[in-house]
Amino acid sequence: MIELASLDDGRTIYLNGERVQQPSTVQLFRDTLTYVNGYYRLQEERPETHLFTDAAGKQADTVFKTPRSAADLAAKRQVYQDIAELSYGMLGRTPDFINAGIPAFAAHTDFLGQGQYTDFAANAKAYCQHIQQDDVFVSHALQNPQIDRAQELHDVKRGATGVQATKVTAQGIYVSGAKMVNTLAPLSDELLIFNTPTLSPGDEAYALAFSLRNNADGLKIICRKPFNRPGYSRDDYPLSNAFDEIDAYIVFDQVFVPWEQVYVFQDVVQSNKFFMDSGLFDHTSHQDQARGVIKLEFVTTLAIEIAERLGVDHFLNVQESLGDLTANLELIRGALLNAEVSGELDDAGVFGPNMQAILAIRAQLPKMYEKAIKTIQLLGAGSMMSVPDFRDFDGELGTTLEATMGSHLMDATFRAKLLNLGWDVTGEAFGQRQLMYEYYHGGDPIRIRANHYQNEALDKGRDMLYRILSE
Ligand SMILES: Cc1cc2nc3c(=O)[nH]c(=O)nc-3n(C[C@H](O)[C@H](O)[C@H](O)COP(=O)(O)OP(=O)(O)OC[C@H]3O[C@@H](n4cnc5c(N)ncnc54)[C@H](O)[C@@H]3O)c2cc1C
């Protein structure tokens, strides 16, 4: 469990234009932390599925279990989805995200090798042990700031294009620079910093992977403007006022990282391998798509509920739209199962998901989510724009609102809550950020789709094609 007091460990957080003196007192953080802690609460509430006994005989979260079969992956997926259900899929970077990849990483540390100053492979192995044993909440930052995407990192002369080592000692390295988006950074225990596989020769200074505590000296966690609506109730903003995931821009100002916490040092090849060869990519992606399915189910159900409660579900065009959403949901559920049953054991004996199936979800889910969001808007139509402040229901307007807004399909306050939910997830800043999240959080879907076609095995298809062409 992340204790509130642990946020007051000296970490440097900026929010609403000022340095936060005591993070544990910030209501926004407190609200979101309640749901982040669902990961730990479920270990107590459902130990039979959320805990397992590890090789050392200790109990650990099931997300740390090394999958050896499709059934193991399915059991882990159930855990990810239990956690996602607590936030309706709205919290993307709960502790199970990175932790899902830790057992695979632990089995694939050898590729990191040794350096002049330290043994990277041994560091990574110790890191994985520590994350599991202490059940650490890690948030990650891999994406470098968009300063000038047309140039290589090292060619850009102004602005922080990434994080680079500025000083090297026998004890460790000093790093400076920035990472663009680090979701939930103010609430996590530690950060894992690495790069996407996009560095080029010449980018050596940026070619790093390391971990650090959130309270490291010189680390600044600068939060974007919050999307919650203080002063309004959860009836008015059911999601904004509970699940603002708090993205942050992370600045490193001569931050010291001891060698034991460095996994790649000034090595472009290793940096480009880090996410994939560690297994982190495959297994965090499995968690990610499992969560995505839950969120798609939530917004699909919301669209249907709005249609039924407004009595528009009788129309063929509306039924067709809703059928589009339910069909999408079934396709995505099926793709996730496909990813598990057609997964494979890798060279280290870790059973990984079929990545073409996982990436098919990643390629299409942004469109499906957007479709569901648009459908909610079209069905909620003007109703979503006519919901009064919830305080009006308790004031002199209460009886009038109850009499005029209530119907045989729902009473007035249910109607207001339902439509508020519809607006929160589609129109509010919170909902727009969720839309952005589903689009971009796992990389650029345009390039994901382009790569997907290039990696698809179509042997049977080509056999058929060339058979008919040669007839
Ligand atoms: C809500 C949210 C939360 C996030 N949380 C995290 C997090 O916790 N940790 C983290 O590390 N990252 C996080 N991200 C960042 C995410 O990883 C990136 O936004 C995503 O990978 C896209 O990269 P980018 O934003 O740099 O856009 P770019 O890659 O710069 O793309 C922007 C546009 O330029 C085009 N483009 C850019 N470069 C190329 C190219 N080489 N070839 C073709 N087209 C190109 C793209 O197609 C796109 O249209 C988050 C993002 C969002 C929106």
Side-chain angles (χ1 to χ4, degrees):
M1 203 72 79
I2 312 280
E3 301 297 337
L4 262 176
S6 73
L7 305 185
D8 299 335
D9 59 359
R11 60 188 69 187
T12 306
I13 304 175
Y14 292 84
L15 178 72
N16 291 324
E18 53 191 36
R19 167 119 190 235
V20 179
Q21 297 306 328
Q22 205 180 345
S24 66
T25 62
V26 177
Q27 194 58 42
L28 174 69
F29 295 166
R30 297 169 75 101
D31 290 340
T32 308
L33 189 62
T34 307
Y35 293 97
V36 169
N37 270 331
Y39 163 86
Y40 298 99
R41 266 198 310 277
L42 283 172
Q43 295 171 1
E44 290 165 17
E45 290 168 10
R46 299 185 210 168
E48 62 290 350
T49 46
H50 282 253
L51 289 175
F52 80 108
T53 306
D54 68 14
K58 287 194 172 156
Q59 296 263 283
D61 196 290
T62 304
V63 302
F64 290 112
K65 191 171 177 191
T66 309
R68 305 288 184 198
S69 64
D72 285 348
L73 273 190
K76 292 184 72 163
R77 182 237 312 148
Q78 189 55 55
V79 166
Y80 308 145
Q81 294 194 323
D82 288 349
I83 296 164
E85 274 182 45
L86 299 177
S87 68
Y88 316 99
M90 300 293 153
L91 293 181
R93 303 300 199 203
T94 41
D96 48 315
F97 176 72
I98 286 292
N99 291 356
I102 291 296
F105 189 16
H108 293 95
T109 53
D110 288 351
F111 80 98
L112 294 168
Q114 274 196 318
Q116 180 189 349
Y117 300 95
T118 191
D119 183 337
F120 301 116
N123 294 349
K125 208 161 249 338
Y127 172 71
C128 293
Q129 268 170 11
H130 154 64
I131 299 301
Q132 176 174 329
Q133 273 168 17
D134 301 327
D135 210 344
V136 180
F137 174 21
V138 180
S139 70
H140 75 293
L142 50 76
Q143 199 66 2
N144 291 316
Q146 286 177 305
I147 300 293
D148 181 351
R149 284 281 186 260
Q151 296 192 50
E152 308 297 351
L153 300 186
H154 66 276
D155 284 334
V156 177
K157 298 295 172 241
R158 186 160 170 232
T161 52
V163 178
Q164 51 181 317
T166 50
K167 189 172 147 192
V168 180
T169 70
Q171 286 71 42
I173 58 176
Y174 289 79
V175 295
S176 288
K179 286 282 183 181
M180 188 163 66
V181 198
N182 193 331
T183 300
L184 279 176
L187 304 185
S188 62
D189 299 312
E190 293 189 17
L191 307 184
L192 180 62
I193 307 296
F194 54 102
N195 291 294
T196 54
T198 52
L199 268 53
S200 306
D203 288 337
E204 282 72 16
Y206 298 91
L208 307 172
F210 59 90
S211 61
L212 73 169
R213 296 283 309 173
N214 290 25
N215 64 353
D217 281 346
L219 177 72
K220 296 181 176 61
I221 301 170
I222 306 168
C223 303
R224 64 156 161 72
K225 296 177 287 298
F227 297 147
N228 66 338
R229 294 294 216 112
Y232 287 93
S233 69
R234 287 215 182 154
D235 289 334
D236 289 302
Y237 294 101
L239 298 173
S240 302
N241 276 355
F243 303 108
D244 189 355
E245 201 168 24
I246 320 163
D247 309 293
Y249 177 65
I250 306 290
V251 174
F252 299 77
D253 183 7
Q254 295 295 331
V255 177
F256 175 70
V257 184
W259 278 118
E260 298 74 47
Q261 290 164 218
V262 179
Y263 316 112
V264 174
F265 177 64
Q266 296 187 335
D267 186 329
V268 168
V269 173
Q270 291 295 71
S271 176
N272 286 345
K273 280 186 186 172
F274 185 80
F275 200 16
M276 307 297 168
D277 288 20
S278 61
L280 282 167
F281 179 65
D282 293 14
H283 291 268
T284 57
S285 295
H286 181 227
Q287 183 277 358
D288 188 27
Q289 304 322 319
R291 175 207 56 81
V293 172
I294 296 295
K295 190 167 174 180
L296 194 64
E297 180 160 358
F298 179 70
V299 291
T300 298
T301 315
L302 177 59
I304 292 170
E305 186 77 17
I306 287 178
E308 291 176 351
R309 296 289 186 158
L310 295 178
V312 297
D313 58 314
H314 298 275
F315 305 117
L316 182 66
N317 59 316
V318 172
Q319 291 174 356
E320 192 260 357
S321 281
L322 296 176
D324 221 5
L325 304 192
T326 52
N328 283 344
L329 181 59
E330 287 299 336
L331 289 172
I332 292 297
R333 281 179 179 152
L336 192 58
L337 293 183
N338 175 20
E340 292 161 7
V341 296
S342 64
E344 283 180 0
L345 276 176
D346 66 20
D347 53 356
V350 180
F351 193 90
N354 170 348
M355 286 309 286
Q356 274 298 89
I358 288 285
L359 289 169
I361 304 179
R362 185 61 203 117
Q364 300 306 97
L365 200 134
K367 292 191 227 170
M368 295 174 176
Y369 184 76
E370 189 173 9
K371 176 90 209 294
I373 293 306
K374 195 70 205 166
T375 305
I376 292 170
Q377 283 185 341
L378 295 180
L379 298 175
S383 290
M384 289 201 303
M385 297 301 107
S386 59
V387 183
D389 188 313
F390 240 85
R391 284 166 289 205
D392 287 329
F393 287 96
D394 296 327
E396 60 182 58
L397 285 173
T399 327
T400 309
L401 293 174
E402 204 55 59
T404 56
M405 288 195 147
S407 76
H408 66 288
L409 293 170
M410 56 183 160
D411 67 30
T413 47
F414 184 88
R415 174 192 175 92
K417 264 192 209 177
L418 181 66
L419 293 167
N420 280 342
L421 187 56
W423 178 244
D424 218 8
V425 80
T426 65
E428 271 300 309
F430 174 90
Q432 291 301 308
R433 185 260 178 202
Q434 292 291 332
L435 195 58
M436 280 287 287
Y437 185 86
E438 289 314 320
Y439 190 83
Y440 261 139
H441 74 278
D444 172 12
I446 291 177
R447 278 171 279 170
I448 289 170
R449 287 196 280 271
N451 287 335
H452 196 272
Y453 128 76
Q454 286 169 351
N455 291 323
E456 186 72 358
L458 290 169
D459 302 343
K460 256 191 209 155
R462 288 197 201 283
D463 284 351
M464 289 190 288
L465 192 61
Y466 291 120
R467 197 171 72 234
I468 193 167
L469 289 175
S470 62
E471 272 167 10

Coordinates of all heavy atoms in Angstrom, one line a residue, residues 126-153:
A126 N 19.2 -7.4 -9.8 CA 18.9 -7.0 -8.4 C 17.7 -6.0 -8.4 O 16.9 -6.0 -7.5 CB 20.1 -6.3 -7.8
Y127 N 17.6 -5.2 -9.4 CA 16.5 -4.3 -9.5 C 15.1 -5.1 -9.6 O 14.2 -4.8 -8.8 CB 16.6 -3.5 -10.8 CG 15.4 -2.6 -11.1 CD1 15.1 -1.5 -10.4 CD2 14.6 -2.9 -12.2 CE1 14.0 -0.6 -10.7 CE2 13.5 -2.1 -12.5 CZ 13.2 -1.0 -11.7 OH 12.1 -0.2 -12.0
C128 N 15.1 -6.1 -10.4 CA 13.8 -6.9 -10.5 C 13.5 -7.5 -9.2 O 12.3 -7.5 -8.8 CB 14.0 -7.9 -11.6 SG 14.1 -7.2 -13.2
Q129 N 14.5 -8.0 -8.5 CA 14.3 -8.6 -7.2 C 13.7 -7.6 -6.2 O 12.7 -7.9 -5.5 CB 15.6 -9.1 -6.6 CG 15.8 -10.6 -6.9 CD 17.2 -11.0 -6.6 OE1 17.9 -10.3 -5.9 NE2 17.6 -12.2 -7.1
H130 N 14.3 -6.4 -6.2 CA 13.8 -5.4 -5.3 C 12.4 -4.9 -5.6 O 11.6 -4.8 -4.7 CB 14.8 -4.2 -5.4 CG 14.3 -2.8 -5.1 ND1 13.8 -2.5 -3.9 CD2 14.1 -1.7 -5.9 CE1 13.4 -1.2 -3.9 NE2 13.5 -0.8 -5.1
I131 N 12.1 -4.8 -6.9 CA 10.7 -4.3 -7.2 C 9.7 -5.4 -6.8 O 8.6 -5.0 -6.2 CB 10.6 -4.1 -8.8 CG1 11.6 -3.0 -9.2 CG2 9.2 -3.7 -9.2 CD1 11.4 -1.7 -8.6
Q132 N 10.0 -6.6 -6.9 CA 9.1 -7.7 -6.5 C 9.0 -7.8 -5.0 O 7.9 -7.8 -4.4 CB 9.5 -9.0 -7.1 CG 8.5 -10.1 -6.6 CD 8.8 -11.5 -7.3 OE1 9.2 -11.5 -8.5 NE2 8.5 -12.6 -6.6
Q133 N 10.2 -7.9 -4.4 CA 10.2 -8.1 -2.9 C 9.5 -6.9 -2.2 O 8.8 -7.1 -1.2 CB 11.6 -8.2 -2.4 CG 12.1 -9.6 -2.5 CD 13.6 -9.8 -2.3 OE1 14.2 -8.8 -1.8 NE2 14.1 -10.9 -2.7
D134 N 9.8 -5.7 -2.6 CA 9.2 -4.5 -1.9 C 7.9 -4.1 -2.6 O 7.3 -3.1 -2.2 CB 10.2 -3.4 -1.9 CG 11.5 -3.8 -1.2 OD1 11.4 -4.6 -0.3 OD2 12.6 -3.4 -1.6
D135 N 7.4 -4.8 -3.6 CA 6.2 -4.5 -4.3 C 6.1 -2.9 -4.6 O 5.2 -2.3 -4.2 CB 5.0 -4.9 -3.5 CG 3.8 -5.3 -4.5 OD1 3.9 -4.9 -5.7 OD2 2.9 -5.9 -4.0
V136 N 7.1 -2.5 -5.3 CA 7.3 -1.1 -5.5 C 6.4 -0.6 -6.6 O 6.1 -1.3 -7.6 CB 8.8 -0.8 -6.0 CG1 9.0 0.7 -6.2 CG2 9.8 -1.3 -5.0
F137 N 5.9 0.6 -6.4 CA 5.1 1.3 -7.5 C 6.0 2.1 -8.4 O 6.6 3.1 -7.9 CB 4.0 2.1 -6.9 CG 3.2 3.0 -7.9 CD1 3.1 2.6 -9.2 CD2 2.5 4.1 -7.5 CE1 2.4 3.4 -10.2 CE2 1.8 4.8 -8.4 CZ 1.7 4.5 -9.7
V138 N 6.2 1.6 -9.6 CA 7.2 2.3 -10.5 C 6.4 3.0 -11.6 O 5.5 2.4 -12.1 CB 8.1 1.2 -11.2 CG1 9.0 1.9 -12.2 CG2 8.8 0.3 -10.2
S139 N 6.7 4.2 -11.8 CA 6.2 4.9 -13.0 C 7.4 5.0 -14.0 O 8.5 5.1 -13.6 CB 5.4 6.2 -12.7 OG 6.4 7.2 -12.4
H140 N 7.0 5.1 -15.3 CA 8.2 5.1 -16.2 C 8.1 6.3 -17.2 O 7.0 6.9 -17.4 CB 8.1 3.8 -17.1 CG 7.0 3.9 -18.1 ND1 5.7 3.9 -17.8 CD2 7.1 4.0 -19.5 CE1 5.0 4.0 -18.9 NE2 5.8 4.0 -19.9
A141 N 9.2 6.7 -17.7 CA 9.3 7.8 -18.7 C 10.3 7.3 -19.7 O 11.5 7.1 -19.5 CB 9.7 9.1 -18.1
L142 N 9.8 7.1 -20.9 CA 10.6 6.7 -22.0 C 10.6 7.8 -23.2 O 11.6 7.9 -23.9 CB 10.3 5.3 -22.6 CG 8.8 5.0 -23.0 CD1 8.4 5.6 -24.3 CD2 8.7 3.5 -23.0
Q143 N 9.6 8.5 -23.3 CA 9.4 9.4 -24.4 C 10.2 10.7 -24.2 O 10.0 11.4 -23.2 CB 8.0 9.7 -24.7 CG 7.7 10.2 -26.1 CD 8.0 9.2 -27.2 OE1 8.3 8.0 -26.9 NE2 7.8 9.6 -28.4
N144 N 11.1 11.0 -25.2 CA 11.8 12.3 -25.1 C 11.0 13.4 -25.6 O 10.1 13.2 -26.4 CB 13.1 12.1 -25.9 CG 14.1 11.1 -25.2 OD1 14.3 11.2 -24.0 ND2 14.7 10.2 -26.0
P145 N 11.3 14.6 -25.1 CA 10.4 15.8 -25.4 C 10.5 16.0 -26.9 O 11.5 15.8 -27.6 CB 11.1 16.9 -24.7 CG 11.7 16.3 -23.5 CD 12.2 15.0 -24.0
Q146 N 9.3 16.5 -27.5 CA 9.2 16.9 -28.9 C 9.9 18.3 -29.0 O 9.2 19.3 -28.9 CB 7.8 17.0 -29.3 CG 7.0 15.7 -29.5 CD 5.6 15.9 -29.8 OE1 4.9 16.6 -29.1 NE2 5.1 15.4 -30.9
I147 N 11.1 18.3 -29.2 CA 11.8 19.6 -29.4 C 11.9 19.9 -30.9 O 11.4 20.9 -31.4 CB 13.2 19.6 -28.8 CG1 13.1 19.4 -27.3 CG2 13.9 21.0 -29.0 CD1 12.4 20.4 -26.5
D148 N 12.5 18.9 -31.6 CA 12.5 19.0 -33.1 C 12.6 17.6 -33.6 O 13.8 17.0 -33.7 CB 13.7 19.9 -33.6 CG 13.7 20.0 -35.1 OD1 12.9 19.2 -35.8 OD2 14.4 20.8 -35.6
R149 N 11.5 16.9 -33.9 CA 11.5 15.5 -34.3 C 12.3 15.3 -35.6 O 12.6 14.1 -35.9 CB 10.1 15.0 -34.4 CG 9.4 14.7 -33.1 CD 9.9 13.4 -32.5 NE 9.2 13.1 -31.3 CZ 9.6 13.3 -30.0 NH1 10.8 13.8 -29.8 NH2 8.8 12.9 -29.0
A150 N 12.5 16.3 -36.4 CA 13.2 16.1 -37.7 C 14.7 15.9 -37.5 O 15.4 15.5 -38.4 CB 12.9 17.3 -38.6
Q151 N 15.2 16.3 -36.3 CA 16.6 16.1 -36.1 C 16.9 15.0 -35.1 O 16.1 14.7 -34.3 CB 17.2 17.4 -35.5 CG 17.0 18.6 -36.4 CD 17.9 19.8 -35.9 OE1 19.0 19.7 -35.6 NE2 17.2 21.0 -35.8
E152 N 18.2 14.5 -35.2 CA 18.6 13.5 -34.1 C 18.8 14.3 -32.8 O 19.0 15.5 -32.8 CB 20.0 12.9 -34.5 CG 20.1 12.4 -35.9 CD 19.1 11.2 -36.2 OE1 18.5 10.7 -35.2 OE2 19.0 10.8 -37.3
L153 N 18.7 13.5 -31.7 CA 18.7 14.2 -30.4 C 20.0 15.1 -30.3 O 19.9 16.2 -29.8 CB 18.7 13.1 -29.3 CG 17.6 12.1 -29.2 CD1 17.7 11.3 -27.9 CD2 16.2 12.9 -29.2

